Amino acid sequence: QKEVEQNSGPLSVPEGAIASLNCTYSDRGSQSFFWYRQYSGKSPELIMSIYSNGDKEDGRFTAQLNKASQYVSLLIRDSQPSDSATYLCAAELSGGSYIPTFGRGTSLIVHP
Amino acid sequence: EAQVTQNPRYLITVTGKKLTVTCSQNMNHEYMSWYRQDPGLGLRQIYYSMNVEVTDKGDVPEGYKVSRKEKRNFPLILESPSPNQTSLYFCASSVGLAEITDTQYFGPGTRLTVL
């Protein structure tokens, strides 16, 4: 069973801190990785995509990929209460399958 | 405004009564897909379509049908709904083969309850 695993949380951080969200995947053939944010009752929205080992930064968000360890993470710097949401990690397993597999999501709470 | 629309947004029905959830996108996207989201199970893909008249099964296709007769529309059909199909359903679309999940836009969701 090809899987994407996330800690369900909740992860609670104070405002202004760095929030670190982690994700592991089982299929070594995975090529594409994504982080989505989903507010309660809303649809997912893409935050970051990453395809190569290393870091990718976009504003306050940094995605990190380590294919050897089969590990993807998302760092949120200067966390704000508006970042409180569920973060979904997704991977396109077996590269080119067109069927993204989502993790169950990590709930993030940023408290003032 | 670029968007994916779904109708209805909320639906309560009874076991066995056929229903259709419509999905439409105005971005001329090639790729469309349907997901269901259940507590503790996350998002799971039901069906996807890479172009008109081209559809394929996702991870959980049992009990569902789809069609893609026009590029903009991708309806989800439940021929004989059962209570285990009670879920939150999302339609999504992407530009095309090279950017399928990178630019995936989700509709607002349809909350379905089957009694």
Side-chain angles (χ1 to χ4, degrees), chain A residues 34 36 38 42-44 46 49 51 88 92 97-100 102 104, chain B residues 31 35 37 40 43 45 48 50 57 59 90 100-102 104 106-107:
Chain A
F34 311 90
Y36 286 82
Q38 186 176 23
K42 301 296 185 182
S43 54
L46 183 68
S49 58
Y51 306 98
L88 306 174
E92 188 189 347
S97 69
Y98 310 129
I99 303 177
F102 284 80
R104 298 176 185 185
Chain B
Y31 180 91
Y35 295 87
Q37 188 172 37
L43 270 169
Q45 193 178 59
Y48 67 95
M50 290 193 285
K57 297 177 181 179
D59 288 330
F90 289 105
I100 288 172
T101 42
D102 192 22
Q104 192 155 213
F106 283 82

PDB file of all heavy atoms in Angstrom, chain A residues 34 36 38 42-44 46 49 51 88 92 97-100 102 104, chain B residues 31 35 37 40 43 45 48 50 57 59 90 100-102 104 106-107:
ATOM      1  N   PHE A  34       3.549  18.049  -2.783  1.00  0.00           N
ATOM      2  CA  PHE A  34       2.753  19.263  -2.681  1.00  0.00           C
ATOM      3  C   PHE A  34       2.277  19.473  -1.254  1.00  0.00           C
ATOM      4  O   PHE A  34       2.012  18.526  -0.518  1.00  0.00           O
ATOM      5  CB  PHE A  34       1.529  19.158  -3.599  1.00  0.00           C
ATOM      6  CG  PHE A  34       1.873  18.724  -4.993  1.00  0.00           C
ATOM      7  CD1 PHE A  34       1.894  17.387  -5.330  1.00  0.00           C
ATOM      8  CD2 PHE A  34       2.207  19.657  -5.959  1.00  0.00           C
ATOM      9  CE1 PHE A  34       2.228  16.964  -6.605  1.00  0.00           C
ATOM     10  CE2 PHE A  34       2.551  19.250  -7.239  1.00  0.00           C
ATOM     11  CZ  PHE A  34       2.561  17.903  -7.557  1.00  0.00           C
ATOM     12  N   TYR A  36      -0.832  21.534   0.652  1.00  0.00           N
ATOM     13  CA  TYR A  36      -2.078  22.265   0.535  1.00  0.00           C
ATOM     14  C   TYR A  36      -2.488  22.748   1.917  1.00  0.00           C
ATOM     15  O   TYR A  36      -2.248  22.087   2.923  1.00  0.00           O
ATOM     16  CB  TYR A  36      -3.195  21.370  -0.013  1.00  0.00           C
ATOM     17  CG  TYR A  36      -3.104  21.060  -1.481  1.00  0.00           C
ATOM     18  CD1 TYR A  36      -2.268  20.056  -1.948  1.00  0.00           C
ATOM     19  CD2 TYR A  36      -3.867  21.774  -2.407  1.00  0.00           C
ATOM     20  CE1 TYR A  36      -2.194  19.764  -3.297  1.00  0.00           C
ATOM     21  CE2 TYR A  36      -3.792  21.486  -3.761  1.00  0.00           C
ATOM     22  CZ  TYR A  36      -2.959  20.478  -4.193  1.00  0.00           C
ATOM     23  OH  TYR A  36      -2.882  20.198  -5.535  1.00  0.00           O
ATOM     24  N   GLN A  38      -5.927  23.822   4.087  1.00  0.00           N
ATOM     25  CA  GLN A  38      -7.375  23.697   4.054  1.00  0.00           C
ATOM     26  C   GLN A  38      -7.962  24.260   5.336  1.00  0.00           C
ATOM     27  O   GLN A  38      -7.761  23.716   6.427  1.00  0.00           O
ATOM     28  CB  GLN A  38      -7.803  22.230   3.875  1.00  0.00           C
ATOM     29  CG  GLN A  38      -9.299  22.059   3.692  1.00  0.00           C
ATOM     30  CD  GLN A  38      -9.705  20.622   3.429  1.00  0.00           C
ATOM     31  OE1 GLN A  38      -8.998  19.677   3.775  1.00  0.00           O
ATOM     32  NE2 GLN A  38     -10.862  20.447   2.780  1.00  0.00           N
ATOM     33  N   LYS A  42     -13.660  24.453   4.066  1.00  0.00           N
ATOM     34  CA  LYS A  42     -13.290  25.015   2.765  1.00  0.00           C
ATOM     35  C   LYS A  42     -12.533  23.983   1.937  1.00  0.00           C
ATOM     36  O   LYS A  42     -12.205  22.907   2.403  1.00  0.00           O
ATOM     37  CB  LYS A  42     -12.417  26.259   2.962  1.00  0.00           C
ATOM     38  CG  LYS A  42     -13.077  27.355   3.775  1.00  0.00           C
ATOM     39  CD  LYS A  42     -14.305  27.912   3.076  1.00  0.00           C
ATOM     40  CE  LYS A  42     -14.880  29.092   3.851  1.00  0.00           C
ATOM     41  NZ  LYS A  42     -16.110  29.626   3.194  1.00  0.00           N
ATOM     42  N   SER A  43     -12.263  24.349   0.693  1.00  0.00           N
ATOM     43  CA  SER A  43     -11.542  23.447  -0.185  1.00  0.00           C
ATOM     44  C   SER A  43     -10.025  23.650  -0.037  1.00  0.00           C
ATOM     45  O   SER A  43      -9.580  24.707   0.384  1.00  0.00           O
ATOM     46  CB  SER A  43     -11.967  23.671  -1.637  1.00  0.00           C
ATOM     47  OG  SER A  43     -11.829  25.023  -1.988  1.00  0.00           O
ATOM     48  N   PRO A  44      -9.243  22.635  -0.361  1.00  0.00           N
ATOM     49  CA  PRO A  44      -7.791  22.771  -0.274  1.00  0.00           C
ATOM     50  C   PRO A  44      -7.263  23.795  -1.279  1.00  0.00           C
ATOM     51  O   PRO A  44      -7.804  23.934  -2.374  1.00  0.00           O
ATOM     52  CB  PRO A  44      -7.290  21.368  -0.638  1.00  0.00           C
ATOM     53  CG  PRO A  44      -8.456  20.465  -0.438  1.00  0.00           C
ATOM     54  CD  PRO A  44      -9.658  21.285  -0.757  1.00  0.00           C
ATOM     55  N   LEU A  46      -3.431  25.104  -2.941  1.00  0.00           N
ATOM     56  CA  LEU A  46      -2.017  24.770  -3.050  1.00  0.00           C
ATOM     57  C   LEU A  46      -1.144  25.889  -2.471  1.00  0.00           C
ATOM     58  O   LEU A  46      -1.326  27.058  -2.770  1.00  0.00           O
ATOM     59  CB  LEU A  46      -1.653  24.549  -4.515  1.00  0.00           C
ATOM     60  CG  LEU A  46      -0.217  24.126  -4.799  1.00  0.00           C
ATOM     61  CD1 LEU A  46       0.030  22.713  -4.277  1.00  0.00           C
ATOM     62  CD2 LEU A  46       0.079  24.203  -6.286  1.00  0.00           C
ATOM     63  N   SER A  49       4.780  23.479  -4.182  1.00  0.00           N
ATOM     64  CA  SER A  49       5.121  22.223  -4.821  1.00  0.00           C
ATOM     65  C   SER A  49       6.644  22.114  -4.833  1.00  0.00           C
ATOM     66  O   SER A  49       7.345  23.122  -4.875  1.00  0.00           O
ATOM     67  CB  SER A  49       4.590  22.183  -6.254  1.00  0.00           C
ATOM     68  OG  SER A  49       5.105  23.272  -7.005  1.00  0.00           O
ATOM     69  N   TYR A  51       9.956  19.386  -6.291  1.00  0.00           N
ATOM     70  CA  TYR A  51      10.276  18.224  -7.106  1.00  0.00           C
ATOM     71  C   TYR A  51      11.715  17.744  -6.910  1.00  0.00           C
ATOM     72  O   TYR A  51      12.028  16.588  -7.193  1.00  0.00           O
ATOM     73  CB  TYR A  51      10.081  18.554  -8.592  1.00  0.00           C
ATOM     74  CG  TYR A  51       8.725  19.104  -8.909  1.00  0.00           C
ATOM     75  CD1 TYR A  51       8.533  20.474  -9.031  1.00  0.00           C
ATOM     76  CD2 TYR A  51       7.635  18.270  -9.076  1.00  0.00           C
ATOM     77  CE1 TYR A  51       7.283  20.983  -9.309  1.00  0.00           C
ATOM     78  CE2 TYR A  51       6.380  18.780  -9.365  1.00  0.00           C
ATOM     79  CZ  TYR A  51       6.217  20.133  -9.480  1.00  0.00           C
ATOM     80  OH  TYR A  51       4.975  20.648  -9.756  1.00  0.00           O
ATOM     81  N   LEU A  88      -2.249  19.672   4.250  1.00  0.00           N
ATOM     82  CA  LEU A  88      -2.255  18.375   3.579  1.00  0.00           C
ATOM     83  C   LEU A  88      -0.996  18.217   2.752  1.00  0.00           C
ATOM     84  O   LEU A  88      -0.658  19.080   1.942  1.00  0.00           O
ATOM     85  CB  LEU A  88      -3.470  18.258   2.650  1.00  0.00           C
ATOM     86  CG  LEU A  88      -4.836  18.525   3.257  1.00  0.00           C
ATOM     87  CD1 LEU A  88      -5.909  18.501   2.175  1.00  0.00           C
ATOM     88  CD2 LEU A  88      -5.150  17.484   4.315  1.00  0.00           C
ATOM     89  N   GLU A  92       2.613  12.616  -5.852  1.00  0.00           N
ATOM     90  CA  GLU A  92       2.200  11.870  -7.031  1.00  0.00           C
ATOM     91  C   GLU A  92       3.061  10.625  -7.064  1.00  0.00           C
ATOM     92  O   GLU A  92       4.200  10.662  -7.518  1.00  0.00           O
ATOM     93  CB  GLU A  92       2.366  12.681  -8.300  1.00  0.00           C
ATOM     94  CG  GLU A  92       1.750  11.977  -9.504  1.00  0.00           C
ATOM     95  CD  GLU A  92       2.082  12.641 -10.808  1.00  0.00           C
ATOM     96  OE1 GLU A  92       2.576  13.774 -10.790  1.00  0.00           O
ATOM     97  OE2 GLU A  92       1.871  12.011 -11.844  1.00  0.00           O
ATOM     98  N   SER A  97       1.621   8.911 -12.529  1.00  0.00           N
ATOM     99  CA  SER A  97       0.391   8.133 -12.342  1.00  0.00           C
ATOM    100  C   SER A  97      -0.852   8.986 -12.467  1.00  0.00           C
ATOM    101  O   SER A  97      -1.934   8.456 -12.659  1.00  0.00           O
ATOM    102  CB  SER A  97       0.399   7.467 -10.965  1.00  0.00           C
ATOM    103  OG  SER A  97       0.277   8.457  -9.945  1.00  0.00           O
ATOM    104  N   TYR A  98      -0.701  10.307 -12.316  1.00  0.00           N
ATOM    105  CA  TYR A  98      -1.832  11.231 -12.360  1.00  0.00           C
ATOM    106  C   TYR A  98      -2.810  11.012 -11.218  1.00  0.00           C
ATOM    107  O   TYR A  98      -3.915  11.523 -11.244  1.00  0.00           O
ATOM    108  CB  TYR A  98      -2.569  11.149 -13.698  1.00  0.00           C
ATOM    109  CG  TYR A  98      -1.648  11.236 -14.883  1.00  0.00           C
ATOM    110  CD1 TYR A  98      -1.713  10.293 -15.902  1.00  0.00           C
ATOM    111  CD2 TYR A  98      -0.693  12.235 -14.985  1.00  0.00           C
ATOM    112  CE1 TYR A  98      -0.863  10.366 -16.978  1.00  0.00           C
ATOM    113  CE2 TYR A  98       0.164  12.304 -16.062  1.00  0.00           C
ATOM    114  CZ  TYR A  98       0.073  11.361 -17.058  1.00  0.00           C
ATOM    115  OH  TYR A  98       0.910  11.414 -18.130  1.00  0.00           O
ATOM    116  N   ILE A  99      -2.419  10.219 -10.248  1.00  0.00           N
ATOM    117  CA  ILE A  99      -3.270   9.999  -9.084  1.00  0.00           C
ATOM    118  C   ILE A  99      -2.503  10.463  -7.862  1.00  0.00           C
ATOM    119  O   ILE A  99      -1.696   9.714  -7.326  1.00  0.00           O
ATOM    120  CB  ILE A  99      -3.661   8.520  -8.937  1.00  0.00           C
ATOM    121  CG1 ILE A  99      -4.359   8.015 -10.201  1.00  0.00           C
ATOM    122  CG2 ILE A  99      -4.550   8.327  -7.716  1.00  0.00           C
ATOM    123  CD1 ILE A  99      -4.717   6.546 -10.160  1.00  0.00           C
ATOM    124  N   PRO A 100      -2.717  11.705  -7.433  1.00  0.00           N
ATOM    125  CA  PRO A 100      -2.008  12.161  -6.240  1.00  0.00           C
ATOM    126  C   PRO A 100      -2.556  11.476  -5.004  1.00  0.00           C
ATOM    127  O   PRO A 100      -3.762  11.275  -4.885  1.00  0.00           O
ATOM    128  CB  PRO A 100      -2.299  13.662  -6.220  1.00  0.00           C
ATOM    129  CG  PRO A 100      -3.570  13.815  -6.953  1.00  0.00           C
ATOM    130  CD  PRO A 100      -3.600  12.743  -7.984  1.00  0.00           C
ATOM    131  N   PHE A 102      -2.896  11.777  -0.975  1.00  0.00           N
ATOM    132  CA  PHE A 102      -2.865  12.776   0.083  1.00  0.00           C
ATOM    133  C   PHE A 102      -2.649  12.120   1.437  1.00  0.00           C
ATOM    134  O   PHE A 102      -3.168  11.027   1.706  1.00  0.00           O
ATOM    135  CB  PHE A 102      -4.180  13.552   0.125  1.00  0.00           C
ATOM    136  CG  PHE A 102      -4.327  14.579  -0.959  1.00  0.00           C
ATOM    137  CD1 PHE A 102      -4.698  14.199  -2.240  1.00  0.00           C
ATOM    138  CD2 PHE A 102      -4.100  15.920  -0.707  1.00  0.00           C
ATOM    139  CE1 PHE A 102      -4.836  15.138  -3.252  1.00  0.00           C
ATOM    140  CE2 PHE A 102      -4.237  16.869  -1.704  1.00  0.00           C
ATOM    141  CZ  PHE A 102      -4.599  16.480  -2.976  1.00  0.00           C
ATOM    142  N   ARG A 104      -3.324  12.478   5.610  1.00  0.00           N
ATOM    143  CA  ARG A 104      -4.566  12.790   6.310  1.00  0.00           C
ATOM    144  C   ARG A 104      -4.587  14.206   6.867  1.00  0.00           C
ATOM    145  O   ARG A 104      -5.613  14.666   7.367  1.00  0.00           O
ATOM    146  CB  ARG A 104      -4.809  11.765   7.413  1.00  0.00           C
ATOM    147  CG  ARG A 104      -4.967  10.366   6.868  1.00  0.00           C
ATOM    148  CD  ARG A 104      -5.120   9.334   7.957  1.00  0.00           C
ATOM    149  NE  ARG A 104      -5.150   7.992   7.366  1.00  0.00           N
ATOM    150  CZ  ARG A 104      -5.363   6.896   8.060  1.00  0.00           C
ATOM    151  NH1 ARG A 104      -5.573   6.948   9.362  1.00  0.00           N
ATOM    152  NH2 ARG A 104      -5.378   5.713   7.457  1.00  0.00           N
TER     153      ARG A 104
ATOM    154  N   TYR B  31      -7.337  18.634 -17.471  1.00  0.00           N
ATOM    155  CA  TYR B  31      -7.430  17.594 -16.451  1.00  0.00           C
ATOM    156  C   TYR B  31      -8.465  17.958 -15.401  1.00  0.00           C
ATOM    157  O   TYR B  31      -8.467  19.068 -14.867  1.00  0.00           O
ATOM    158  CB  TYR B  31      -6.058  17.418 -15.803  1.00  0.00           C
ATOM    159  CG  TYR B  31      -5.965  16.370 -14.715  1.00  0.00           C
ATOM    160  CD1 TYR B  31      -5.623  15.065 -15.017  1.00  0.00           C
ATOM    161  CD2 TYR B  31      -6.190  16.705 -13.385  1.00  0.00           C
ATOM    162  CE1 TYR B  31      -5.508  14.102 -14.020  1.00  0.00           C
ATOM    163  CE2 TYR B  31      -6.088  15.756 -12.387  1.00  0.00           C
ATOM    164  CZ  TYR B  31      -5.743  14.461 -12.704  1.00  0.00           C
ATOM    165  OH  TYR B  31      -5.635  13.507 -11.722  1.00  0.00           O
ATOM    166  N   TYR B  35     -12.681  13.937  -5.861  1.00  0.00           N
ATOM    167  CA  TYR B  35     -12.166  13.401  -4.615  1.00  0.00           C
ATOM    168  C   TYR B  35     -13.317  13.296  -3.612  1.00  0.00           C
ATOM    169  O   TYR B  35     -14.283  14.034  -3.675  1.00  0.00           O
ATOM    170  CB  TYR B  35     -11.121  14.331  -3.995  1.00  0.00           C
ATOM    171  CG  TYR B  35      -9.858  14.501  -4.793  1.00  0.00           C
ATOM    172  CD1 TYR B  35      -9.770  15.467  -5.791  1.00  0.00           C
ATOM    173  CD2 TYR B  35      -8.746  13.727  -4.537  1.00  0.00           C
ATOM    174  CE1 TYR B  35      -8.601  15.639  -6.521  1.00  0.00           C
ATOM    175  CE2 TYR B  35      -7.573  13.897  -5.254  1.00  0.00           C
ATOM    176  CZ  TYR B  35      -7.514  14.856  -6.239  1.00  0.00           C
ATOM    177  OH  TYR B  35      -6.364  15.027  -6.956  1.00  0.00           O
ATOM    178  N   GLN B  37     -13.604  13.288   0.730  1.00  0.00           N
ATOM    179  CA  GLN B  37     -12.833  13.544   1.938  1.00  0.00           C
ATOM    180  C   GLN B  37     -13.626  13.077   3.136  1.00  0.00           C
ATOM    181  O   GLN B  37     -14.751  13.529   3.370  1.00  0.00           O
ATOM    182  CB  GLN B  37     -12.494  15.031   2.077  1.00  0.00           C
ATOM    183  CG  GLN B  37     -11.532  15.321   3.224  1.00  0.00           C
ATOM    184  CD  GLN B  37     -11.062  16.770   3.232  1.00  0.00           C
ATOM    185  OE1 GLN B  37     -11.811  17.683   2.926  1.00  0.00           O
ATOM    186  NE2 GLN B  37      -9.799  16.988   3.595  1.00  0.00           N
ATOM    187  N   GLY B  40     -10.400  11.341   9.143  1.00  0.00           N
ATOM    188  CA  GLY B  40      -9.453  10.280   9.434  1.00  0.00           C
ATOM    189  C   GLY B  40      -8.901   9.571   8.214  1.00  0.00           C
ATOM    190  O   GLY B  40      -7.953   8.788   8.326  1.00  0.00           O
ATOM    191  N   LEU B  43      -8.115  12.986   1.779  1.00  0.00           N
ATOM    192  CA  LEU B  43      -8.651  13.117   0.427  1.00  0.00           C
ATOM    193  C   LEU B  43      -8.287  11.889  -0.391  1.00  0.00           C
ATOM    194  O   LEU B  43      -7.112  11.505  -0.446  1.00  0.00           O
ATOM    195  CB  LEU B  43      -8.028  14.345  -0.257  1.00  0.00           C
ATOM    196  CG  LEU B  43      -8.716  15.686  -0.116  1.00  0.00           C
ATOM    197  CD1 LEU B  43      -7.801  16.788  -0.626  1.00  0.00           C
ATOM    198  CD2 LEU B  43     -10.020  15.699  -0.875  1.00  0.00           C
ATOM    199  N   GLN B  45      -8.854  10.093  -4.294  1.00  0.00           N
ATOM    200  CA  GLN B  45      -9.317  10.351  -5.647  1.00  0.00           C
ATOM    201  C   GLN B  45     -10.269   9.258  -6.122  1.00  0.00           C
ATOM    202  O   GLN B  45     -10.002   8.069  -5.959  1.00  0.00           O
ATOM    203  CB  GLN B  45      -8.136  10.472  -6.618  1.00  0.00           C
ATOM    204  CG  GLN B  45      -8.543  11.059  -7.963  1.00  0.00           C
ATOM    205  CD  GLN B  45      -7.369  11.229  -8.897  1.00  0.00           C
ATOM    206  OE1 GLN B  45      -6.702  10.265  -9.225  1.00  0.00           O
ATOM    207  NE2 GLN B  45      -7.129  12.458  -9.326  1.00  0.00           N
ATOM    208  N   TYR B  48     -10.596  10.409 -12.542  1.00  0.00           N
ATOM    209  CA  TYR B  48      -9.997  11.564 -13.176  1.00  0.00           C
ATOM    210  C   TYR B  48     -10.181  11.485 -14.677  1.00  0.00           C
ATOM    211  O   TYR B  48     -10.502  10.416 -15.228  1.00  0.00           O
ATOM    212  CB  TYR B  48      -8.522  11.714 -12.792  1.00  0.00           C
ATOM    213  CG  TYR B  48      -7.610  10.620 -13.303  1.00  0.00           C
ATOM    214  CD1 TYR B  48      -6.905  10.769 -14.493  1.00  0.00           C
ATOM    215  CD2 TYR B  48      -7.434   9.451 -12.559  1.00  0.00           C
ATOM    216  CE1 TYR B  48      -6.061   9.775 -14.943  1.00  0.00           C
ATOM    217  CE2 TYR B  48      -6.593   8.455 -13.010  1.00  0.00           C
ATOM    218  CZ  TYR B  48      -5.901   8.617 -14.197  1.00  0.00           C
ATOM    219  OH  TYR B  48      -5.061   7.632 -14.642  1.00  0.00           O
ATOM    220  N   MET B  50      -8.304  13.053 -18.298  1.00  0.00           N
ATOM    221  CA  MET B  50      -7.207  13.827 -18.881  1.00  0.00           C
ATOM    222  C   MET B  50      -7.644  14.634 -20.092  1.00  0.00           C
ATOM    223  O   MET B  50      -6.905  15.482 -20.562  1.00  0.00           O
ATOM    224  CB  MET B  50      -6.056  12.892 -19.230  1.00  0.00           C
ATOM    225  CG  MET B  50      -5.363  12.349 -17.986  1.00  0.00           C
ATOM    226  SD  MET B  50      -3.807  11.550 -18.341  1.00  0.00           S
ATOM    227  CE  MET B  50      -4.380  10.025 -19.054  1.00  0.00           C
ATOM    228  N   LYS B  57     -10.011   5.409 -13.526  1.00  0.00           N
ATOM    229  CA  LYS B  57     -10.298   5.224 -12.115  1.00  0.00           C
ATOM    230  C   LYS B  57      -9.177   5.783 -11.250  1.00  0.00           C
ATOM    231  O   LYS B  57      -8.007   5.674 -11.578  1.00  0.00           O
ATOM    232  CB  LYS B  57     -10.465   3.732 -11.811  1.00  0.00           C
ATOM    233  CG  LYS B  57     -11.638   3.095 -12.521  1.00  0.00           C
ATOM    234  CD  LYS B  57     -11.700   1.604 -12.233  1.00  0.00           C
ATOM    235  CE  LYS B  57     -12.870   0.951 -12.969  1.00  0.00           C
ATOM    236  NZ  LYS B  57     -12.923  -0.507 -12.719  1.00  0.00           N
ATOM    237  N   ASP B  59      -8.384   5.992  -6.820  1.00  0.00           N
ATOM    238  CA  ASP B  59      -8.182   5.010  -5.756  1.00  0.00           C
ATOM    239  C   ASP B  59      -9.471   4.364  -5.257  1.00  0.00           C
ATOM    240  O   ASP B  59      -9.471   3.235  -4.803  1.00  0.00           O
ATOM    241  CB  ASP B  59      -7.471   5.671  -4.563  1.00  0.00           C
ATOM    242  CG  ASP B  59      -6.017   5.971  -4.853  1.00  0.00           C
ATOM    243  OD1 ASP B  59      -5.413   5.227  -5.655  1.00  0.00           O
ATOM    244  OD2 ASP B  59      -5.493   6.949  -4.292  1.00  0.00           O
ATOM    245  N   PHE B  90     -15.086  16.809  -3.540  1.00  0.00           N
ATOM    246  CA  PHE B  90     -14.445  17.936  -4.215  1.00  0.00           C
ATOM    247  C   PHE B  90     -14.154  17.581  -5.664  1.00  0.00           C
ATOM    248  O   PHE B  90     -13.643  16.505  -5.953  1.00  0.00           O
ATOM    249  CB  PHE B  90     -13.124  18.304  -3.538  1.00  0.00           C
ATOM    250  CG  PHE B  90     -13.272  18.947  -2.203  1.00  0.00           C
ATOM    251  CD1 PHE B  90     -13.010  18.227  -1.044  1.00  0.00           C
ATOM    252  CD2 PHE B  90     -13.646  20.273  -2.089  1.00  0.00           C
ATOM    253  CE1 PHE B  90     -13.135  18.820   0.195  1.00  0.00           C
ATOM    254  CE2 PHE B  90     -13.770  20.881  -0.852  1.00  0.00           C
ATOM    255  CZ  PHE B  90     -13.512  20.143   0.303  1.00  0.00           C
ATOM    256  N   ILE B 100      -0.306  18.643 -13.872  1.00  0.00           N
ATOM    257  CA  ILE B 100      -1.571  18.132 -13.345  1.00  0.00           C
ATOM    258  C   ILE B 100      -1.823  18.569 -11.920  1.00  0.00           C
ATOM    259  O   ILE B 100      -2.794  19.225 -11.620  1.00  0.00           O
ATOM    260  CB  ILE B 100      -1.605  16.607 -13.456  1.00  0.00           C
ATOM    261  CG1 ILE B 100      -1.766  16.223 -14.914  1.00  0.00           C
ATOM    262  CG2 ILE B 100      -2.756  16.028 -12.641  1.00  0.00           C
ATOM    263  CD1 ILE B 100      -1.616  14.762 -15.164  1.00  0.00           C
ATOM    264  N   THR B 101      -0.961  18.182 -11.014  1.00  0.00           N
ATOM    265  CA  THR B 101      -1.259  18.501  -9.630  1.00  0.00           C
ATOM    266  C   THR B 101      -0.610  19.814  -9.209  1.00  0.00           C
ATOM    267  O   THR B 101      -0.916  20.339  -8.168  1.00  0.00           O
ATOM    268  CB  THR B 101      -0.788  17.371  -8.723  1.00  0.00           C
ATOM    269  OG1 THR B 101       0.483  16.915  -9.152  1.00  0.00           O
ATOM    270  CG2 THR B 101      -1.760  16.213  -8.765  1.00  0.00           C
ATOM    271  N   ASP B 102       0.272  20.347 -10.015  1.00  0.00           N
ATOM    272  CA  ASP B 102       0.933  21.579  -9.627  1.00  0.00           C
ATOM    273  C   ASP B 102      -0.030  22.734  -9.578  1.00  0.00           C
ATOM    274  O   ASP B 102       0.055  23.598  -8.725  1.00  0.00           O
ATOM    275  CB  ASP B 102       2.057  21.886 -10.613  1.00  0.00           C
ATOM    276  CG  ASP B 102       2.969  22.982 -10.101  1.00  0.00           C
ATOM    277  OD1 ASP B 102       2.996  23.208  -8.871  1.00  0.00           O
ATOM    278  OD2 ASP B 102       3.655  23.602 -10.915  1.00  0.00           O
ATOM    279  N   GLN B 104      -3.510  22.541  -9.448  1.00  0.00           N
ATOM    280  CA  GLN B 104      -4.834  21.957  -9.253  1.00  0.00           C
ATOM    281  C   GLN B 104      -5.718  22.914  -8.472  1.00  0.00           C
ATOM    282  O   GLN B 104      -5.376  23.353  -7.380  1.00  0.00           O
ATOM    283  CB  GLN B 104      -4.707  20.620  -8.525  1.00  0.00           C
ATOM    284  CG  GLN B 104      -5.962  19.805  -8.532  1.00  0.00           C
ATOM    285  CD  GLN B 104      -5.724  18.314  -8.367  1.00  0.00           C
ATOM    286  OE1 GLN B 104      -6.431  17.493  -8.904  1.00  0.00           O
ATOM    287  NE2 GLN B 104      -4.707  17.947  -7.617  1.00  0.00           N
ATOM    288  N   PHE B 106      -9.415  23.501  -6.718  1.00  0.00           N
ATOM    289  CA  PHE B 106     -10.524  22.737  -6.161  1.00  0.00           C
ATOM    290  C   PHE B 106     -11.817  23.547  -6.166  1.00  0.00           C
ATOM    291  O   PHE B 106     -11.808  24.758  -5.949  1.00  0.00           O
ATOM    292  CB  PHE B 106     -10.205  22.322  -4.724  1.00  0.00           C
ATOM    293  CG  PHE B 106      -9.252  21.170  -4.617  1.00  0.00           C
ATOM    294  CD1 PHE B 106      -7.887  21.367  -4.714  1.00  0.00           C
ATOM    295  CD2 PHE B 106      -9.727  19.880  -4.433  1.00  0.00           C
ATOM    296  CE1 PHE B 106      -6.999  20.298  -4.624  1.00  0.00           C
ATOM    297  CE2 PHE B 106      -8.854  18.808  -4.334  1.00  0.00           C
ATOM    298  CZ  PHE B 106      -7.497  19.017  -4.432  1.00  0.00           C
ATOM    299  N   GLY B 107     -12.925  22.860  -6.387  1.00  0.00           N
ATOM    300  CA  GLY B 107     -14.231  23.466  -6.221  1.00  0.00           C
ATOM    301  C   GLY B 107     -14.559  23.623  -4.751  1.00  0.00           C
ATOM    302  O   GLY B 107     -13.793  23.183  -3.892  1.00  0.00           O
TER     303      GLY B 107
END
